Amino acid sequence: MKKQSISFLLALFLFTVCMPQLTGQTAEPTLKDAYRNYFPIGVAVNPFDLRDPLATLIKQQFNAITPANALKMGPVHPEENRYNWGPADQIVDFAVANGMKIHGHVLCWHSQAPAWIFTNEKGDTVSKEVLLARLKKHIFDVVGRYKGRIAAWDVVNEAIADEPNQFYRNNTWYRICGKDYIAKAFEYAHEADPNAILFYNDYNTEYPQKRDKVYRLLKELIDAGVPVNAVGLQGHWSIYEPSEKNLRDALDKYSSLKIGIMITELDVSVYPPEPEPRAIKPNETLAFTPELEKKQAEQYKMFFKVFREYKNVITGVTFWGATDGQSWLNNFPVRGRTNYPLLFDREMKPKQEAYKAVVDF
Ligand code: GLA
């Protein structure tokens, strides 16, 4: 064999053997390829995630994007007459350039809302009329800017109370407007972009008590003709919950409303859910033992098996971050406690067990 051919074969060998390791890829299919015939697989990002090597991983594995913070009211609209479009534009441009769907998050939420929206120049609380007018302007400006590029929006986030004897969350929106702010937000969003899919989004939506309240809210809105088209189940879950039964019951119940369902913020914590029962001391950091890895893989396997069965109602599954190192759960509910909730580890490598459990079926 000629010398050139030998060097060519050697180069080819090195490329095939070493490249997958360098890019963190395995012989497994990517997430978006494995779910091509089911639903888009998304990831929540901040602008600093869109640099290599993470950007490459995101492009390889995901076909949908949610801006994690950039479109929240506080970050995007810090003062009444000033918008901070830069971070959201960067994410939207990245998604469009790479042919990814964009899920807008979030138009009305009690958290990460700017203080100015609730108060006047004197610092007094504004009236319901003023607050709704400000909400309308905010929604028109934000939805209007990305019309045609952002096809779906979380319109209202977490408006239902966790307390068993309370229905609506007692937040500033509610204290000023009563429940009307919820329907109004959907009406404004629909007016701003009649083609957008409009979501109500919340957590713990699989626990029967909260599930039934979220269901009731959606049913009342739909019966009143409010343009809500879909429900977002955040999916901040753990290796302990929800059970398969609770997950299926929730999917059955929401789909009886004939609306879309998306898993909007998936992660699978290795710690027991808050509050009790607690098998672990609050500030104890766990190592990612083979036993935990196996438990997490089993849980991911169960979730995705159920998602696939419900592919006719599930419009997407989005992870809240790509790698364990980026996850908010390293700081919540205990600051600095290491967690391992996603499918890619801190070196951006797919997790042997959990990743396989999701893509091999
Ligand atoms: C909620 C919000 C998200 C995000 C997560 C935690 O679920 O909807 O925007 O803030 O909490 O990061």
Side-chain angles (χ1 to χ4, degrees):
M1 211 185 280
K2 281 213 193 103
K3 218 166 155 191
Q4 289 104 307
S5 322
I6 295 173
S7 12
F8 174 74
L9 285 175
L10 186 66
L12 189 67
F13 171 79
L14 287 173
F15 181 80
T16 341
V17 171
C18 301
M19 266 318 269
Q21 255 120 55
L22 290 175
T23 56
Q25 275 206 291
T26 62
E28 309 288 346
T30 62
L31 292 171
K32 65 178 181 187
D33 286 341
Y35 285 85
R36 184 132 292 174
N37 297 323
Y38 291 87
F39 32 71
I41 303 284
V43 60
V45 300
N46 290 302
F48 50 79
D49 299 325
L50 304 179
R51 289 191 301 242
D52 272 333
L54 197 52
T56 299
L57 177 82
I58 289 171
K59 286 187 264 184
Q60 279 167 350
Q61 293 285 342
F62 302 94
N63 49 8
I65 273 208
T66 298
N69 289 292
L71 284 169
K72 287 172 177 170
M73 199 181 255
V76 79
H77 199 172
E79 290 165 42
E80 183 161 14
N81 297 313
R82 184 168 70 86
Y83 282 94
N84 176 29
W85 298 117
D89 282 355
Q90 213 182 312
I91 296 170
V92 169
D93 289 348
F94 175 88
V96 171
N98 292 292
M100 302 164 101
K101 274 181 82 168
I102 309 167
H103 187 82
H105 176 79
V106 47
L107 299 171
C108 181
W109 188 29
H110 62 276
S111 184
Q112 292 181 263
W116 69 262
I117 196 141
F118 302 118
T119 48
N120 63 19
E121 329 67 67
K122 286 190 256 148
D124 299 329
T125 302
V126 294
S127 66
K128 175 175 175 179
E129 288 63 37
V130 170
L131 184 55
L132 290 180
R134 288 179 176 180
L135 177 64
K136 182 173 184 175
K137 175 152 186 2
H138 172 80
I139 290 180
F140 268 60
D141 289 347
V142 176
V143 173
R145 182 178 181 90
Y146 298 108
K147 202 169 167 171
R149 287 180 291 167
I150 298 192
W153 282 96
D154 288 334
V155 178
V156 177
N157 199 22
E158 303 175 353
I160 290 296
D162 291 316
E163 299 80 358
N165 54 357
Q166 211 173 305
F167 189 76
Y168 292 106
R169 181 186 290 274
N170 184 18
N171 61 23
T172 320
W173 294 100
Y174 184 76
R175 284 193 295 276
I176 299 177
C177 302
K179 65 173 184 169
D180 290 355
Y181 80 92
I182 302 170
K184 287 290 176 206
F186 281 98
E187 283 161 17
Y188 301 151
H190 182 64
E191 222 183 303
D193 184 354
N195 294 321
I197 313 281
L198 305 181
F199 278 77
Y200 173 74
N201 193 50
D202 214 328
Y203 61 86
N204 286 356
T205 41
E206 308 69 37
Y207 287 107
Q209 191 232 105
K210 184 109 176 246
R211 175 198 71 204
D212 290 352
K213 286 196 270 186
V214 170
Y215 172 86
R216 195 183 114 195
L217 170 71
L218 290 163
K219 176 133 183 43
E220 284 177 10
L221 292 171
I222 293 165
D223 289 349
V226 174
V228 51
N229 323 110
V231 61
L233 316 186
Q234 290 185 0
H236 292 301
W237 295 333
S238 77
I239 58 175
Y240 300 96
E241 48 78 64
S243 65
E244 182 166 348
K245 178 171 182 343
N246 279 356
L247 176 58
R248 286 178 185 275
D249 287 352
L251 293 170
D252 287 338
K253 186 141 195 167
Y254 298 125
S255 58
S256 74
L257 291 165
K258 307 268 175 283
I259 54 175
I261 304 175
M262 177 171 161
I263 313 302
T264 49
E265 305 183 17
L266 183 61
D267 41 33
V268 180
S269 168
V270 302
Y271 294 88
E274 301 295 318
E276 307 292 335
R278 191 196 278 288
I280 295 154
K281 291 191 206 85
N283 53 4
E284 187 177 340
T285 279
L286 294 175
F288 196 46
T289 58
E291 194 197 345
L292 279 182
E293 196 172 350
K294 189 158 167 280
K295 259 189 134 172
Q296 186 183 51
E298 281 162 10
Q299 189 75 327
Y300 262 120
K301 192 182 178 81
M302 182 272 278
F303 291 152
F304 276 82
K305 180 188 72 179
V306 175
F307 298 160
R308 290 192 299 273
E309 278 178 41
Y310 283 80
K311 72 168 188 176
N312 292 337
V313 287
I314 291 188
T315 62
V317 175
T318 285
F319 290 84
W320 205 251
T323 72
D324 284 346
Q326 289 171 282
S327 173
W328 71 297
L329 292 172
N330 295 305
N331 280 311
F332 183 88
V334 180
R335 180 161 284 278
R337 186 177 71 175
T338 306
N339 209 328
Y340 316 85
L342 296 163
L343 292 182
F344 298 90
D345 66 17
R346 285 173 164 73
E347 275 78 54
M348 295 192 291
K349 297 243 166 51
K351 284 183 187 164
Q352 286 290 319
E353 304 250 0
Y355 184 83
K356 243 202 193 118
V358 170
V359 297
D360 269 358
F361 54 86

